[in-house]
Amino acid sequence: MGGLPHIMADVTLDTKHTSPAGWRRVVAFSSGSALIYVLSFLIGVAVWELIAAQLPGVVFATPSEVTGRLIEGLANGEISGAFVNSLRHMIVGLALAIAVAVPLGFLVGRNEAAFHIADPIVNAFFAIPSVAFVPFLIVWFGLFYEGRVSLVFIMCVFDILVTVSAGARNIDRAMLSVGRSFGASRWHMFAKVMLPASLPFLFTALRIGLVRAINAMITAELFFATVNLGAYLEEASARFDAAGMLAIVFLLALFGLGAQEAIKFLERRLLPWHVRN
Amino acid sequence: MSNTRKRFYNALGIGITLLIWELAGQYMGDALLAPPSSVAGTFVELLFESDMVLKLIGSLQLALAGFGLACLIGMPLGAMMGRSAVIDALVHPWISMLVVTSVAAILPIYILLFGTGDQFRVAIIFTASVGYIVLTAYHGARGIDPKHIDVARAFSTGRVDTYRKVIMPALFPYLITGARLGLVHALRAMIVAEMFVISGYGGLIFHTGLDISTAPILAYLLLLMAVSLGANMVLQRIGQAAAPWYEARMQRA
């Protein structure tokens, strides 16, 4: 895609430099950079503590209060129960988006005519913030589970589509030519050439889609009928309970980062030939 | 594929979409999905006889304030991260966290911090866009060819000149890309925040959603889409005009 979605697919959440040499280094704790990461964390928390100490407790909470609230909520089931429920519509919405966007992405990426037909439409949809569709989704799917699934779907489907189509378009031509000149059958071309060449960007699409789905999960819980984590956030805000709200914000951010790292780890394990960095 | 052919396919895509929308709209009725034929009339009506445009301009001013702040802080920060390993290690984990943080989740806490007025909206827009601007500038600064800097050093170019004549031109395409990316997220955040507290243009969309016909809300979405696409095109043009090497560089990236 020539326009905006293309750069989104390229740069969005492209955190492959997040931790140079990956988490192994952090785990091994051998090099100096691990120390800097710990330092970064400590300095960040200290700054946060300082800021929080200046502000009244109803407005902002200290790191220790937030951690305490998070552990308490996870242990007594108040946060963990809501979180598990939230995952339900997230996973269903994401699965639907993948089922639609991956085949469509291949079609658009491998067929020139389909690409230029889809290009303006995808650009147009991309330019509209997904939440703006919420009033529609309420009319069509109601305020509850189906509505939330539909928002997760809408919020991930274009990101995945754009990533897959960009990847499919950039499959190395030489590889396809080699397959063809060795007389590979259609099935062989698909199984031995196309699929392995596609796995790297399919993983990228999954990673981008997942982070977007987590984002959509909480958005849906606040903009439709408030339930689960969204309800926890609303109640905390009604009580002026800053620690409770920040606990959810950090839970979601850590979940997003964790999910992203997990997919990168899987990628390294399953696609050792695809060397990053 | 020739340009005319591309244009033809583009037009075909738009045509097919409009046709499907029209048919679906006729079938489902205005209450569920207004067809383009009735949206067009509503759009013109709203354009001249309501405060749609004024509301949008008001919201965009706040979006620009938040986005401008994000550029002002994010671009130098990203560039410094790219050139210094220590700054990178100190800041990067927090930026990564910021980028995965959902805008919706921080709405309640920002209301406590900033209230529900302009400050709140600017703060949300800033938070939502700054991470992307930082990361793009970072990738740009990291990707600067060391050979170019070596050449500058070999010709004993001063620090300031190296910065001005080597680093900035190499960075520029990335700054523009970061700005484009940040702008998309700024507009998204603007709508999220405004729909949450029912104010500005986002509030208009959320309110209207509860009416009988879906024609007005579709008109609002179309205008928003046009503005978003237009703003992006302007940034792209600025990039091309100010740095003709932009296209070539981004194509390789």
Side-chain angles (χ1 to χ4, degrees):
Chain A
M1 313 258 144
L4 178 68
H6 182 65
I7 58 167
M8 299 281 293
D10 276 356
V11 195
T12 312
L13 304 168
D14 182 10
T15 47
K16 57 185 163 203
H17 300 294
T18 306
S19 44
W23 73 299
R24 265 171 293 140
R25 218 182 226 188
V26 180
V27 173
F29 217 85
S30 53
S31 72
S33 81
L35 200 69
I36 293 184
Y37 276 94
V38 174
L39 203 66
S40 160
F41 179 74
L42 290 178
I43 291 175
V45 170
V47 169
W48 175 6
E49 182 88 45
L50 271 177
I51 295 173
Q54 304 296 315
L55 293 162
V58 291
V59 173
F60 213 63
T62 61
S64 49
E65 282 170 342
V66 173
T67 320
R69 182 60 55 86
L70 189 55
I71 291 170
E72 183 196 318
L74 286 173
N76 71 14
E78 210 179 341
I79 292 180
S80 43
F83 185 51
V84 170
N85 272 332
S86 301
L87 288 180
R88 283 176 50 216
H89 61 259
M90 183 202 101
I91 291 170
V92 174
L94 178 62
L96 285 174
I98 290 174
V100 170
V102 170
L104 217 59
F106 270 102
L107 174 71
V108 167
R110 298 304 307 167
N111 184 312
E112 274 296 295
F115 177 82
H116 292 292
I117 289 175
D119 194 39
I121 311 303
V122 174
N123 272 313
F125 268 105
F126 225 91
I128 302 175
S130 309
V131 229
F133 292 114
V134 164
F136 274 101
L137 300 176
I138 290 176
V139 175
W140 291 346
F141 300 104
L143 277 166
F144 302 100
Y145 182 70
E146 292 80 4
R148 295 200 296 276
V149 170
S150 68
L151 183 67
V152 175
F153 174 82
I154 295 252
M155 277 179 76
C156 323
V157 74
F158 291 104
D159 291 76
I160 300 175
L161 175 67
V162 167
T163 315
V164 172
S165 75
R169 223 168 134 75
N170 294 329
I171 289 177
D172 193 351
R173 270 198 199 164
M175 284 201 241
L176 299 178
S177 305
V178 168
R180 226 171 280 134
S181 38
F182 279 89
S185 64
R186 256 177 173 258
W187 165 249
H188 255 91
M189 277 299 272
F190 174 75
K192 302 271 157 133
V193 183
M194 284 288 272
L195 193 65
S198 307
L199 284 173
F201 66 77
L202 286 178
F203 266 95
T204 308
L206 180 64
R207 186 160 52 86
I208 290 172
L210 186 60
V211 172
R212 196 87 175 114
I214 294 169
N215 192 333
M217 165 183 108
I218 186 70
T219 310
E221 288 176 349
L222 286 166
F223 281 85
F224 292 87
T226 51
V227 287
N228 307 334
L229 292 177
Y232 188 94
L233 265 182
E234 288 270 286
E235 282 158 24
S237 105
R239 285 197 307 266
F240 297 103
D241 173 12
M245 284 186 273
L246 282 171
I248 301 296
V249 172
F250 275 86
L251 174 68
L252 289 170
L254 290 176
F255 180 49
L257 281 180
Q260 207 169 238
E261 288 305 315
I263 290 180
K264 280 195 222 164
F265 175 73
L266 272 181
E267 195 178 346
R268 274 197 298 273
R269 265 299 168 78
L270 300 174
L271 317 175
W273 72 87
H274 169 61
V275 185
R276 282 181 166 278
N277 299 334
Chain B
M1 193 176 283
S2 70
N3 256 338
T4 356
R5 248 190 124 77
K6 277 186 201 165
R7 289 278 147 74
F8 167 73
Y9 281 125
N10 286 347
L12 187 67
I14 296 170
I16 292 172
T17 309
L18 283 176
L19 187 69
I20 294 175
W21 177 9
E22 179 71 40
L23 290 176
Q26 298 283 358
Y27 177 74
M28 289 163 82
D30 273 9
L32 282 179
L33 179 74
S37 49
S38 79
V39 173
T42 312
F43 186 85
V44 174
E45 211 173 282
L46 285 170
L47 202 58
F48 294 108
E49 287 163 29
S50 80
D51 57 352
M52 170 168 81
V53 175
L54 286 178
K55 272 252 162 73
L56 183 59
I57 290 173
S59 291
L60 285 177
Q61 279 172 344
L62 295 179
L64 275 183
F67 169 70
L69 265 178
C71 286
L72 229 63
I73 294 173
M75 287 175 174
L77 181 62
M80 282 195 298
M81 280 164 62
R83 303 306 307 165
S84 149
V86 175
I87 297 178
D88 178 39
L90 287 179
V91 183
H92 213 132
W94 297 95
I95 298 290
S96 303
M97 201 148 176
L98 186 66
V99 166
V100 297
T101 300
S102 155
V103 176
I106 57 172
L107 292 169
I109 188 91
Y110 269 44
I111 289 180
L112 272 195
L113 283 168
F114 300 105
T116 56
D118 292 357
Q119 253 185 27
F120 160 74
R121 288 194 261 168
V122 172
I124 286 280
I125 291 160
F126 171 81
T127 312
S129 54
V130 72
Y132 294 91
I133 295 170
V134 169
L135 281 187
T136 323
Y138 163 79
H139 285 300
R142 226 178 116 100
I144 292 175
D145 194 340
K147 275 184 230 143
H148 294 172
I149 295 175
D150 285 347
V151 169
R153 205 176 291 145
F155 282 92
S156 59
T157 316
R159 234 168 200 272
V160 177
D161 268 354
T162 306
Y163 186 78
R164 208 163 56 90
K165 297 199 170 146
V166 181
I167 295 189
M168 272 317 276
L171 206 54
F172 194 78
Y174 288 89
L175 296 184
I176 291 285
T177 306
R180 288 170 67 190
L181 199 56
L183 190 66
V184 178
H185 285 274
L187 290 179
R188 283 182 181 176
M190 173 188 101
I191 296 296
V192 172
E194 291 182 342
M195 280 176 68
F196 196 68
V197 298
I198 314 277
S199 66
Y201 200 71
L204 203 62
I205 290 175
F206 210 21
H207 249 335
T208 319
L210 308 173
D211 282 354
I212 318 151
S213 170
T214 49
I217 180 175
L218 282 167
Y220 295 140
L221 292 186
L222 282 180
L223 182 64
L224 186 62
M225 185 188 85
V227 166
S228 171
L229 286 175
N232 218 285
M233 224 183 283
V234 168
L235 275 180
Q236 198 177 7
R237 285 283 148 80
I238 291 176
Q240 283 163 352
W245 60 90
Y246 172 81
E247 281 290 286
R249 169 97 201 193
M250 286 329 274
Q251 232 113 63
R252 267 187 287 130

